[in-house]
Amino acid sequence: MRMIVDTDAGVDDVQAIMMALNHADTEIAAITCVTGNTHVDWVTRNVFAMLDVVGAGPIPVFRGAEQPLLPGTWTGEARVHGEDGLGNYTKRQPTARQLQDEPAALALVRMANEAPGELTLVTLGPLTNVALACRLDPEFPHKIARFVFMGGAELAMGNTNNLSAEFNVYCDPEAAAVVLDAFPEAEMLSWEATVRHPFTWEQYETLAAGTSRAAEFFRDTTGSAVQFLREQLHAPGFYIPDPLAMAAALEPSLVEESSFHYVAVETRGALTRGQTVVDHFGASGRSPNVHIIKAIDIATIYAMFEQMLS
Ligand code: RIB
Ligand code: CA
């Protein structure tokens, strides 16, 4: 499978990309970067740092949108990801990798035209780049084989100041609205699915105790996320939103339950801007457009992490 990953790396983003790099049947054709957890210039550095740690090949990396579609609406997520977006990673080395000159949205359109129907698009951050691609080429969604995104809240249980909004959609609600309207089908890994499928803290500690370079990187980049999860959220386990979305993209058979609904995005609500509004009962008369992933095989995903970090 040939994949494009759009990311706001991001502590969990780099884990998801490492899963794809470690997957025998998958080639990452490109990584496009977007502002979200942190500014896109940190995102590109974080992607390079991870690619160097795992010794990845020369994967094209593109710089994308610095800001959401509307001005003045972006706030990062330093509480979880640190100011640098990688848990205040202190072991950065100089990199020989360089960004492609082409802006991410133009690269998305070009690559879809070069390989229509062949590419799987996995997005792990705000949908700004993908929305721009949809506006540059209205046929873009129809040239993408599969679109899987981490984002949204199935039951309005969000993780941002707008309580019903999940971070990736909250960062750029207009982009999410454009994208869900443009793609005939999408597969959504929500915040609720994330909360329902944590690693146990014992599993996290086992992974973080590994001695490989990848395990050391995992340990060195997850400190701020673990502190936030444990001390602020009192989470019962280690949340891995982006890796769950990536697992569904890499191995669709890991999805144990999903349901197909019409989903739209609230862009105006004073309390609810960024909420994904789900037609659970088919009341809208609108055709379903999103496969909402309800259950996923977290045990196998843990085994994928063990192998990836070994
Ligand atoms: O809400 C979780 C999502 O927001 C994840 O993709 C995380 O990396 C952040 O981007
Ligand atoms: Ca992310």
Side-chain angles (χ1 to χ4, degrees):
M1 171 183 40
R2 294 185 69 231
M3 179 185 285
I4 297 176
V5 184
D6 188 82
T7 179
D8 65 335
V11 170
D12 59 319
D13 301 63
V14 293
Q15 294 159 17
I17 299 170
M18 288 164 69
M19 290 169 70
L21 291 168
N22 198 56
H23 192 258
D25 304 334
T26 297
E27 173 208 352
I28 299 182
I31 298 173
T32 53
C33 301
V34 66
T35 285
N37 289 317
T38 189
H39 186 275
V40 68
D41 288 334
W42 273 116
V43 173
T44 57
R45 290 185 199 113
N46 297 338
V47 167
F48 286 162
M50 177 272 300
L51 292 176
D52 287 342
V53 163
V54 301
I59 296 171
V61 178
F62 298 86
R63 184 179 187 272
E66 285 190 63
Q67 291 293 326
L69 296 181
L70 291 190
T73 61
W74 171 65
T75 58
E77 187 48 273
R79 298 175 302 170
V80 179
H81 299 270
E83 288 303 325
D84 66 344
L86 207 50
N88 301 314
Y89 182 53
T90 60
K91 299 178 182 174
R92 291 177 192 275
Q93 302 295 326
T95 183
R97 296 179 192 270
Q98 291 189 333
L99 286 173
Q100 302 296 310
D101 292 335
E102 192 178 21
L106 295 181
L108 288 169
V109 168
R110 173 180 54 77
M111 289 184 285
N113 281 320
E114 289 169 351
E118 291 179 28
L119 292 164
T120 293
L121 174 63
V122 179
T123 67
L124 308 174
L127 290 166
T128 318
N129 292 334
V130 180
L132 293 169
C134 290
R135 285 294 182 257
L136 287 167
D137 176 6
E139 288 306 305
F140 173 73
H142 304 281
K143 298 169 190 170
I144 293 293
R146 270 183 81 202
F147 169 46
V148 182
F149 73 103
M150 193 283 139
E154 165 203 354
L155 300 170
M157 296 164 71
N159 60 1
T160 69
N161 292 335
N162 280 9
L163 302 178
S164 59
E166 176 280 330
F167 181 80
N168 287 336
V169 176
Y170 177 68
C171 269
D172 197 339
E174 283 73 19
V178 165
V179 171
L180 292 191
D181 181 62
F183 274 80
E185 290 195 39
E187 295 163 66
M188 168 175 153
L189 193 288
S190 68
W191 182 248
E192 295 94 333
T194 301
V195 170
R196 279 201 304 269
H197 299 89
F199 286 159
T200 66
W201 285 118
E202 294 72 24
Q203 288 177 324
Y204 167 76
E205 296 298 342
T206 300
L207 294 173
T211 55
S212 69
R213 282 193 72 197
E216 179 187 7
F217 181 72
F218 176 77
R219 178 171 59 251
D220 290 342
T221 56
T222 50
S224 57
V226 168
Q227 183 176 16
F228 181 79
L229 285 171
R230 288 191 128 152
E231 296 174 12
Q232 300 298 319
L233 290 191
H234 306 296
F238 182 66
Y239 294 159
I240 49 166
D242 292 344
L244 294 179
M246 180 59 77
L250 293 170
E251 298 283 353
S253 62
L254 292 177
V255 174
E256 296 165 333
E257 183 192 352
S258 75
S259 56
F260 197 31
H261 298 278
Y262 172 66
V263 179
V265 179
E266 175 58 57
T267 58
R268 287 195 288 271
L271 298 176
T272 56
R273 173 175 160 79
Q275 178 177 337
T276 41
V277 181
V278 179
D279 180 0
H280 293 280
F281 303 112
S284 70
R286 300 290 300 263
S287 304
N289 58 338
V290 177
H291 296 275
I292 298 175
I293 296 169
K294 309 267 187 167
I296 194 165
D297 178 352
I298 187 66
T300 299
I301 294 168
Y302 178 70
M304 291 167 80
F305 264 67
E306 283 186 306
Q307 199 279 326
M308 175 179 94
L309 299 180
S310 65

